[in-house]
Amino acid sequence: MKELTLFAKRLKKAREQRGMKQKELAEKIDVTPQTISAYEKADVEGKGKNPTLENAISAAKVLGVSLDWLCGIDLAHDDKDLYGTSYGEIIRKLVDASEKAENASLSSITLTERVFIDYGGDYPRCDNVDISYPVIVFKDDKIKSFMESWTKIKSIRDSNTIDEELYRLWMDKHLAELDHVKVHDAVEIDDEEVGELPF
């Protein structure tokens, strides 16, 4: 079995983690899908194809990774964290988690709600019940702003007012803008502020 170059392995890994097809990446960096396929099949014996510097830079930008990482220069970089600390990657993980996870939360808020409870009689009774809801508090303005906008566009998509393609175009545009913005300071969540949520 042939051994792929580090560039080939990382290009494919970054592309797949973005959920992109070879054709999509090819369109974004202005090459053919066959060229992307050849890049991802490049092996240490010289088969396949190595990109020009210009195409490697374009691919790194589109995928939100550093050129050093993509080319194998930044060997200390953790392969599990392909995108470093860009806002784009943090937000992708938040969106992915919110769409897939049902019971995950960083904190919770308890609200008292009136619900109908069937106690076995002729009529259900309306009682107050404390219900805990998962909550994530965003102090970072870029993340907070994106998540507010994303919640609105997702609601529009979920109501079938727009289709999945338009939703994906919106996501790609807004995330691409944030892929090159690095997060410099860690954001800590203050549990005491959970009670100050505006609802």
Side-chain angles (χ1 to χ4, degrees), residues 135-178:
V135 175
I136 299 175
V137 178
F138 298 104
K139 291 183 180 180
D140 186 287
D141 289 338
K142 283 183 175 45
I143 295 175
K144 188 168 122 182
S145 175
F146 179 90
M147 295 306 282
E148 287 171 353
S149 297
W150 173 72
T151 302
K152 291 175 187 170
I153 195 79
K154 182 178 180 294
S155 173
I156 294 169
R157 181 204 63 184
D158 292 347
S159 69
N160 293 321
T161 304
I162 62 171
D163 63 11
E164 187 68 23
E165 184 179 356
L166 189 55
Y167 170 76
R168 286 283 155 216
L169 287 171
W170 184 93
M171 289 289 287
D172 289 346
K173 176 186 181 290
H174 287 82
L175 288 171
E177 292 169 0
L178 294 168

Side-chain angles (χ1 to χ4, degrees), residues 114-121 123-129:
R114 301 212 23 99
V115 296
F116 284 102
I117 301 173
D118 186 359
Y119 290 104
Y123 302 100
R125 204 168 70 210
C126 191
D127 280 339
N128 290 333
V129 176

Side-chain angles (χ1 to χ4, degrees), residues 3-190:
E3 185 182 348
L4 296 176
T5 64
L6 191 53
F7 182 93
K9 291 176 190 174
R10 289 186 170 186
L11 179 69
K12 183 176 182 181
K13 186 174 185 178
R15 178 182 59 76
E16 288 178 344
Q17 286 203 353
R18 283 292 169 115
M20 294 176 88
K21 302 286 184 196
Q22 288 180 342
K23 182 180 177 184
E24 293 173 79
L25 179 58
E27 288 171 359
K28 289 180 185 271
I29 67 171
D30 201 24
V31 296
T32 66
Q34 292 79 11
T35 300
I36 298 297
S37 178
Y39 291 164
E40 292 182 358
K41 291 179 181 174
D43 65 28
V44 294
E45 296 174 7
K47 295 179 183 160
K49 186 175 183 178
N50 289 317
T52 63
L53 179 58
E54 181 179 284
N55 286 348
I57 291 169
S58 294
K61 285 181 180 177
V62 167
L63 295 170
V65 298
S66 74
L67 182 59
D68 284 354
W69 179 84
L70 195 58
C71 294
I73 296 168
D74 184 4
L75 296 175
H77 190 16
D78 185 358
D79 276 357
K80 293 177 184 173
D81 186 12
L82 294 183
Y83 310 111
T85 54
S86 77
Y87 279 101
E89 181 52 23
I90 289 171
I91 290 170
R92 275 184 186 79
K93 289 177 182 179
L94 289 170
V95 167
D96 187 51
S98 69
E99 289 183 340
K100 292 180 181 175
E102 293 180 18
N103 296 315
S105 68
L106 295 179
S107 186
S108 65
I109 186 169
T110 301
L111 301 175
T112 301
E113 295 191 10
R114 301 212 23 99
V115 296
F116 284 102
I117 301 173
D118 186 359
Y119 290 104
D122 291 336
Y123 302 100
R125 204 168 70 210
C126 191
D127 280 339
N128 290 333
V129 176
D130 288 340
I131 301 175
S132 290
Y133 293 95
V135 175
I136 299 175
V137 178
F138 298 104
K139 291 183 180 180
D140 186 287
D141 289 338
K142 283 183 175 45
I143 295 175
K144 188 168 122 182
S145 175
F146 179 90
M147 295 306 282
E148 287 171 353
S149 297
W150 173 72
T151 302
K152 291 175 187 170
I153 195 79
K154 182 178 180 294
S155 173
I156 294 169
R157 181 204 63 184
D158 292 347
S159 69
N160 293 321
T161 304
I162 62 171
D163 63 11
E164 187 68 23
E165 184 179 356
L166 189 55
Y167 170 76
R168 286 283 155 216
L169 287 171
W170 184 93
M171 289 289 287
D172 289 346
K173 176 186 181 290
H174 287 82
L175 288 171
E177 292 169 0
L178 294 168
D179 281 335
H180 308 295
V181 181
K182 299 294 182 185
V183 179
H184 297 291
D185 300 313
V187 177
E188 293 182 13
I189 294 177
D190 183 356

